[in-house]
Amino acid sequence: MSQPRPLVIAANRLPVTRDADGGWQTSPGGLVRALLPIVQETRGAWVGWTGERDGPGDPIEAEGIELHPIPLSSHEVDHYYEGFSNDTLWPLYHDAIRESGYHSTDWEAYLDVNQRFAVRIANIAPPNAAVWLHDYHLQLVPALLREQRHDVRIGWFNHIPFPPLELFQRIPWRSEIIKGLLGADVLGFQRIQGANNFRAAARTLVGTEDLDDGLLRYDGRDLHVGNYPISIDVTDFELLASGRATRQRTAQIRSRLGDPEVILLGVDRLDYTKGIGSRLRAFGQLLDDGRLDPERHVLVQIATPTREGVEQYQDERREIEQIVGEINGRHSRLGFPAIHYLYQSLPLTELIPLYRAGDVMLVTPFRDGMNLVAKEYVAAHVDGDGVLVLSEFTGAADELKDALLVNPHDERALQDTIVRAVEMHRHERRPRMEAMRTMLEHATVSDWANAFLAQLMAD
Ligand code: F6P
């Protein structure tokens, strides 16, 4: 088509957060940077939540586009966000690694908020717009929106895994969710696995018909189901990583850590899916066994605060901090902790020098839709060095095949892989890093957005 459709993005969160002065600051991150220019060029809009309880509902003008906040009451934050999204769906979609709660009060709040998103989008989307919905918070919006607007194309992309049928069917409202998603024209998943899991659930629960070329037929309509692995803004990372300020800060970090031979690094949201505890225990065991030496090997673990209102996250934090305390109690020397643990959110200007200082990056989730930290580490290593230890259960493992892939449930394998990474000779490290960097340069966040949008914009 000659004229691109106006692009409307809807996600749980708006691409801005409140700054100290009460104004709005654009959120960092490749997703926002990749999508904002397209929304600007096509005179589209962005619909989402500000992250505040009882926040504003009036449109906000920022970055030259209209942002449409969906205000959430305190009850809705408790039941739609912390409840159904993050206590029911999140653990279940990550291999049921924690027990999910199934409460009708949470489901009703999820339904209400999805309905409110659909009404708002229906009211503001320009004629013939392409509406791109994001993530597990908004699975009912496709069908709800279709009921109100027949002119728009509707796409949905899941940033997290989509579970196998045996797990998905535990949800008391499983058919409602599938029918909600089937209102879309394009359904996107990180991995082929996720797309296949969705097809199986849809076939079994509501009787969809599988056609060729990733098409699915339901209720007389055909929709496209496919995998679109997300990525990062590689050029941006490379640019920041090559700057003088980064080089200086990297050297300063190494020296602050006591110039150890090897710096091991973990950077994660403090989420129980990320396998932080197992990784720390593996490091502790290696110190206990003398396979690593606290004078030569130091671990830096950055744990970003997240979803602090959810009990399972509070439990996870307590457990991790206890493990750090125990290991440091046994192996630290005065002024030189074995593990440097920061429960903080760091700006990119600090994160990139840390990536560069990290000789070995430990990314060991039990399940992760993609894991962009793994990609950020590779992009930041403009020096062509560094070793990535990567869980097989991340989407990134499909692409970063030259990482040291590991099963994080296998304690012994995790320990052996860490030792292998620490001891790897530069003749092996460099070609592995080079292969990962080449792969990444051909799969950036813009490639991801363009591939999804090409499918969504097509008639
Ligand atoms: O990975 C899924 C996701 O929802 C991301 O989109 C988001 O950045 C992250 O989890 C943190 O989520 P929250 O919005 O709950 O802080």
Side-chain angles (χ1 to χ4, degrees):
M1 59 191 271
S2 46
Q3 197 68 0
R5 294 169 181 269
L7 178 63
V8 175
I9 302 286
N12 179 52
R13 288 189 189 267
L14 283 173
V16 293
T17 46
R18 190 82 79 174
D19 62 24
D21 310 327
W24 299 102
Q25 193 181 319
T26 309
S27 309
L31 176 70
V32 170
R33 273 198 305 278
L35 296 181
L36 272 184
I38 311 174
V39 178
Q40 284 158 353
E41 278 158 30
T42 61
R43 308 176 78 82
W46 194 305
V47 181
W49 174 47
T50 60
E52 299 166 314
R53 286 175 190 259
D54 298 309
D58 291 337
I60 301 165
E61 197 65 44
E63 299 284 341
I65 63 167
E66 288 243 301
L67 308 178
H68 296 271
I70 303 289
L72 297 187
S73 67
S74 206
H75 173 88
E76 285 165 343
V77 175
D78 290 346
H79 295 279
Y80 146 78
Y81 173 69
E82 293 182 350
F84 201 75
S85 299
N86 288 318
D87 180 55
T88 306
L89 298 174
W90 182 270
L92 189 74
Y93 282 29
H94 288 85
D95 286 357
I97 178 177
R98 290 284 185 283
E99 201 55 50
S100 286
Y102 301 101
H103 307 292
S104 45
T105 331
D106 292 348
W107 165 251
E108 279 150 22
Y110 185 81
L111 194 57
D112 283 352
V113 173
N114 271 251
Q115 181 73 53
R116 192 147 359 113
F117 265 87
V119 169
R120 189 70 177 266
I121 300 166
N123 288 340
I124 62 103
N128 300 313
V131 179
W132 188 359
L133 307 161
H134 290 260
D135 241 344
Y136 59 103
H137 315 83
L138 304 182
Q139 294 174 108
L140 308 179
V141 177
L144 294 168
L145 177 59
R146 182 165 297 282
E147 282 169 14
Q148 302 169 62
R149 289 284 298 265
H150 294 284
D151 58 318
V152 298
R153 292 269 297 172
I154 305 171
W156 175 82
F157 178 79
N158 200 25
H159 290 254
I160 70 170
F162 195 87
L165 175 64
E166 305 85 78
L167 293 179
F168 183 76
Q169 62 190 2
R170 290 185 190 177
I171 306 174
W173 308 277
R174 58 204 184 185
S175 302
E176 285 90 329
I177 292 176
I178 294 290
K179 285 182 192 156
L181 289 172
L182 288 169
D185 297 291
V186 183
L187 292 174
F189 298 84
Q190 301 272 25
R191 308 179 87 172
I192 296 170
Q193 240 171 46
N196 287 343
N197 287 344
F198 174 78
R199 280 198 198 93
R203 193 167 52 239
T204 311
L205 296 170
V206 305
T208 48
E209 187 189 339
D210 289 306
L211 308 176
D212 290 340
D213 297 331
L215 287 177
L216 208 63
R217 181 159 295 166
Y218 177 66
D219 210 14
R221 283 179 53 243
D222 292 349
L223 57 141
H224 177 88
V225 178
N227 64 308
Y228 300 84
I230 197 170
S231 192
I232 58 167
D233 189 333
V234 179
T235 320
D236 232 44
F237 267 82
E238 289 180 340
L239 220 67
L240 279 167
S242 336
R244 218 167 99 106
T246 300
R247 283 203 307 279
Q248 284 172 346
R249 181 69 186 136
T250 305
Q252 199 178 39
I253 289 172
R254 285 206 86 92
S255 124
R256 287 260 183 100
L257 295 173
D259 273 319
E261 250 167 62
V262 179
I263 298 173
L264 297 102
L265 177 65
V267 176
D268 312 80
R269 282 188 308 105
L270 200 154
D271 195 299
Y272 51 80
T273 58
K274 303 288 182 186
I276 304 171
S278 313
R279 176 192 315 162
L280 295 175
R281 273 194 215 96
F283 181 69
Q285 190 61 52
L286 291 169
L287 295 177
D288 289 347
D289 296 346
R291 295 177 76 195
L292 293 183
D293 173 358
E295 295 203 17
R296 296 164 52 219
H297 309 116
V298 165
L299 173 61
V300 177
Q301 176 65 55
I302 312 298
T304 308
T306 182
R307 303 175 190 163
E308 289 174 296
V310 181
E311 202 183 319
Q312 288 164 332
Y313 287 75
Q314 297 162 4
D315 294 344
E316 180 70 8
R317 180 179 174 194
R318 263 193 297 277
E319 192 186 327
I320 285 169
E321 295 185 350
Q322 187 177 343
I323 301 171
V324 172
E326 284 169 8
I327 297 174
N328 276 345
R330 282 202 302 280
H331 294 288
S332 298
R333 295 161 294 137
L334 279 183
F336 295 99
I339 301 175
H340 294 253
Y341 168 77
L342 274 68
Y343 181 63
Q344 289 165 28
S345 178
L346 298 182
L348 219 51
T349 46
E350 185 65 2
L351 212 50
I352 291 183
L354 262 171
Y355 284 143
R356 287 221 42 192
D359 302 299
V360 172
M361 180 83 209
L362 303 174
V363 179
T364 57
F366 297 122
R367 176 62 69 195
D368 210 330
M370 174 52 62
N371 197 289
L372 294 178
V373 163
K375 294 188 171 181
E376 290 176 1
Y377 175 74
V378 170
H381 267 266
V382 285
D383 58 353
D385 209 342
V387 185
L388 175 64
V389 172
L390 181 61
S391 161
E392 305 168 1
F393 301 109
T394 61
D398 289 347
E399 299 170 281
L400 300 174
K401 295 187 195 301
D402 283 277
L404 292 186
L405 297 181
V406 67
N407 172 2
H409 298 278
D410 183 340
E411 282 175 26
R412 190 71 207 184
L414 193 52
Q415 292 167 27
D416 291 347
T417 308
I418 293 175
V419 171
R420 185 166 168 221
V422 165
E423 292 177 349
M424 191 184 285
H425 193 275
R426 61 197 290 274
H427 294 325
E428 185 180 353
R429 290 197 309 256
R430 290 191 156 268
R432 280 179 181 271
M433 182 51 85
E434 194 188 324
M436 291 194 285
R437 291 179 56 77
T438 307
M439 182 271 133
L440 210 53
E441 270 156 23
H442 294 101
T444 68
V445 71
S446 305
D447 297 324
W448 164 78
N450 291 339
F452 189 92
L453 286 173
Q455 191 69 51
L456 183 61
M457 299 279 180
D459 284 309

